[in-house]
Amino acid sequence: MVYASDLEILLIRVLAGEDPQNLRQEIQDPLQSILSHPTGQGYRGYALSLAGVIAREAGELILARQWFEESVAYSTAKGAQQLLAGTLLHMAKLYLLQGEEHEADRCLNRALSICETKEFEVFWDWHAETVYSLCQRALLKHIHPNWALHLLRRWFPERIIGEAGRLLIYSDENIRTGIIQLLQDAAGETDRPIIHLICLGEFHVFVNGREIPSARWKTKKAENLFKFLIINRQPYLKAAVTEPLWPNSDSKSGDASLRMALTHVRKALGLKDMTEESIILKRGLVYFNPEMIINTDYELFTTIALSALEDPKTTNPVTLTKLEQAAGLYQGEFLPDNLYDDWTVNMRNQLQQLYLRILLKQAEDYHRQGKLTPAIQACRRYLALEPTDELVNRKAMELLWQNGQKQQALSLYLELAAVLTKEYDLTPEEETSDLYEKIRCT
């Protein structure tokens, strides 16, 4: 038992933020002490799984896989269902880090099947991020979604409330119903409305889980007023609101237009007793009631993206997961229906630049791991937005070449040259042309 406790302490140190790579050697002594005992002191499978988690978090994926597989075999033979379910969840995350999605979903399906059948809610090891991210994946992939949602509601109610926006536009009605009920329960308990806003690639607004139909805004100006105020969540002078939204109006007509649009927005939100107080117009200032809980996809994207980019350890599995999450959240341009409105330009550009940084880091990390196909995909997504970025074009050409796709690498250069000539009357940089010739002559 003492050696299992030593491994538990090592895992706690990892969860507390200590670099798992520095703990790699400390795993060996307690693990070998358990494995060398004829019966494993009753902790063989448990110890192997704990060691696997620490190794995985340290980026030692091959070793982690070996230990997880041994634990799965042991717990299966012993009928240790709860240990098996937990280990399979961790194996699923490992497979995702290795780019083996089919195997990851197979493990996830098996783990949640055991959990749902046995009604397991508490796992042998609580690595919260693994359970949360995999339960979200299970929802989106329709893998035992009811139990996945049950676990999310059971252990992560606040987090799932904050990140529920994308689930509310998911096609599965049962999932939407479960999320809506969670949000309505939370709003009822706190007596505070919960708003979710989707702005990336499309526009949706949900109040306590229920979507506001576009027709309920009555006018485009009312919808734009809502967008402006919720994006710029601070008290604004009336003039600072009317000028960008009603640029050609005088003070009197602008004030009247603002008041009418405010009426439409308040009614669209449908907050009954709180209708007049949902958006406040007081002493010449306009602002959202601070009592309302507001969650947006672009703010969630920004938080996760910046967290991933600030971590210098590019092999850290946590960072790799964050990069995937951030890339998945960016579903398109910010407020695509307002491309020509000046008040959206800065935010749109900032978010796109942040997304490009995510894609570039993804490409570099995948390349470093020898995963050429996903590295190429990240480069292509980057170039879809910035086709004349020669540094990324060269990177993509090299990756394609290394991946045995010589003609695609040459075609990418020709596409770049054509765009530069047509749009800017320029030719590719010498370094890019030299790479083209090098690939062509091989």
Side-chain angles (χ1 to χ4, degrees), residues 63-81:
L63 183 58
R65 185 168 179 166
Q66 174 190 327
W67 284 339
F68 283 145
E69 287 175 349
E70 289 182 32
S71 179
V72 166
Y74 179 85
S75 53
T76 299
K78 294 293 184 180
Q81 294 290 290

Side-chain angles (χ1 to χ4, degrees), residues 141-198:
K141 302 281 283 187
H142 206 73
I143 299 172
H144 294 276
N146 293 331
W147 199 254
L149 181 58
H150 173 77
L151 290 174
L152 289 170
R153 292 188 63 170
R154 172 72 172 81
W155 293 108
F156 309 96
E158 292 185 7
R159 186 169 177 183
I160 195 64
I161 286 170
E163 300 180 12
R166 283 286 161 188
L167 294 174
L168 289 168
I169 60 174
Y170 190 57
S171 59
D172 190 293
E173 186 176 351
N174 290 330
I175 291 174
R176 291 200 311 272
T177 300
I179 294 295
I180 290 169
Q181 188 61 57
L182 172 64
L183 295 172
Q184 292 182 344
D185 290 346
E189 290 170 4
T190 62
D191 202 28
R192 298 175 65 190
I194 301 174
I195 293 177
H196 285 85
L197 184 65
I198 300 295

Side-chain angles (χ1 to χ4, degrees), residues 126-369:
W126 193 244
H127 189 273
E129 192 57 43
T130 293
V131 178
Y132 181 81
S133 62
L134 288 174
C135 283
Q136 272 217 325
R137 180 179 181 84
L139 284 181
L140 297 175
K141 302 281 283 187
H142 206 73
I143 299 172
H144 294 276
N146 293 331
W147 199 254
L149 181 58
H150 173 77
L151 290 174
L152 289 170
R153 292 188 63 170
R154 172 72 172 81
W155 293 108
F156 309 96
E158 292 185 7
R159 186 169 177 183
I160 195 64
I161 286 170
E163 300 180 12
R166 283 286 161 188
L167 294 174
L168 289 168
I169 60 174
Y170 190 57
S171 59
D172 190 293
E173 186 176 351
N174 290 330
I175 291 174
R176 291 200 311 272
T177 300
I179 294 295
I180 290 169
Q181 188 61 57
L182 172 64
L183 295 172
Q184 292 182 344
D185 290 346
E189 290 170 4
T190 62
D191 202 28
R192 298 175 65 190
I194 301 174
I195 293 177
H196 285 85
L197 184 65
I198 300 295
C199 294
L200 297 172
E202 49 193 329
F203 176 69
H204 299 275
V205 183
F206 301 88
V207 178
N208 298 336
R210 297 292 185 185
E211 185 168 9
I212 297 177
S214 57
R216 200 188 296 174
W217 299 109
K218 298 297 184 183
T219 68
K220 190 65 178 177
K221 289 294 186 182
E223 181 183 300
N224 285 343
L225 174 62
F226 172 84
K227 293 175 181 176
F228 181 91
L229 293 176
I230 207 164
I231 291 164
N232 304 286
R233 288 198 296 283
Q234 60 188 31
Y236 267 81
L237 290 170
K238 286 193 295 182
V241 178
T242 57
E243 184 177 342
L245 296 180
W246 292 274
N248 299 318
S249 62
D250 56 33
S251 176
K252 185 176 180 180
S253 62
D255 185 77
S257 297
L258 172 61
R259 290 179 183 275
M260 179 59 71
L262 278 174
T263 298
H264 292 323
V265 172
R266 288 165 175 159
K267 288 182 178 178
L269 292 175
L271 296 178
K272 298 179 181 178
D273 294 341
M274 196 180 176
T275 296
E276 290 302 315
E277 293 78 26
S278 57
I279 300 180
I280 298 170
L281 175 56
K282 187 176 182 180
R283 296 176 183 172
L285 296 174
V286 187
Y287 54 96
F288 264 93
N289 189 324
E291 289 298 309
M292 294 195 296
I293 301 170
I294 299 172
N295 304 283
T296 70
D297 61 341
Y298 69 90
E299 288 172 311
L300 179 61
F301 161 74
T302 299
T303 299
I304 296 174
L306 291 176
S307 177
L309 291 170
E310 72 183 8
D311 190 342
K313 305 185 194 72
T314 54
T315 57
N316 185 344
V318 174
T319 300
L320 298 176
T321 299
K322 288 178 180 177
L323 289 170
E324 291 285 351
Q325 290 173 338
L329 282 167
Y330 192 91
Q331 292 292 305
E333 287 189 296
F334 177 73
L335 292 180
D337 294 337
N338 299 87
L339 290 179
Y340 304 107
D341 292 327
D342 291 343
W343 50 273
T344 68
V345 172
N346 287 340
M347 180 68 75
R348 182 175 298 110
N349 290 340
Q350 290 172 16
L351 292 168
Q352 181 169 299
Q353 289 304 310
L354 185 56
Y355 177 55
L356 291 173
R357 290 172 63 194
I358 288 291
L359 292 176
L360 188 56
K361 187 166 185 178
Q362 272 193 313
E364 292 169 348
D365 290 353
Y366 283 135
H367 189 193
R368 195 173 290 110
Q369 297 173 63

Side-chain angles (χ1 to χ4, degrees), residues 2-17:
V2 65
Y3 297 116
S5 297
D6 289 342
L7 288 170
E8 289 173 338
I9 291 170
L10 289 174
L11 181 57
I12 290 169
R13 288 165 63 185
V14 171
L15 298 177

Side-chain angles (χ1 to χ4, degrees), residues 20 46 56 92 115 123 266 282 308 416:
Y46 180 52
R56 185 195 64 203
C115 293
F123 297 94
R266 288 165 175 159
K282 187 176 182 180
L416 169 66

Side-chain angles (χ1 to χ4, degrees), residues 54-111:
I54 299 167
R56 185 195 64 203
E57 296 305 294
E60 300 278 353
L61 303 187
I62 295 175
L63 183 58
R65 185 168 179 166
Q66 174 190 327
W67 284 339
F68 283 145
E69 287 175 349
E70 289 182 32
S71 179
V72 166
Y74 179 85
S75 53
T76 299
K78 294 293 184 180
Q81 294 290 290
Q82 195 163 7
L83 173 61
L84 176 60
T87 306
L88 287 167
L89 276 176
H90 285 292
M91 280 195 74
K93 181 178 179 181
L94 176 68
Y95 279 126
L96 287 175
L97 291 170
Q98 293 180 315
E100 300 180 44
E101 293 200 20
H102 176 75
E103 286 300 307
D105 290 341
R106 182 184 63 80
C107 286
L108 181 56
N109 180 66
R110 190 178 170 193

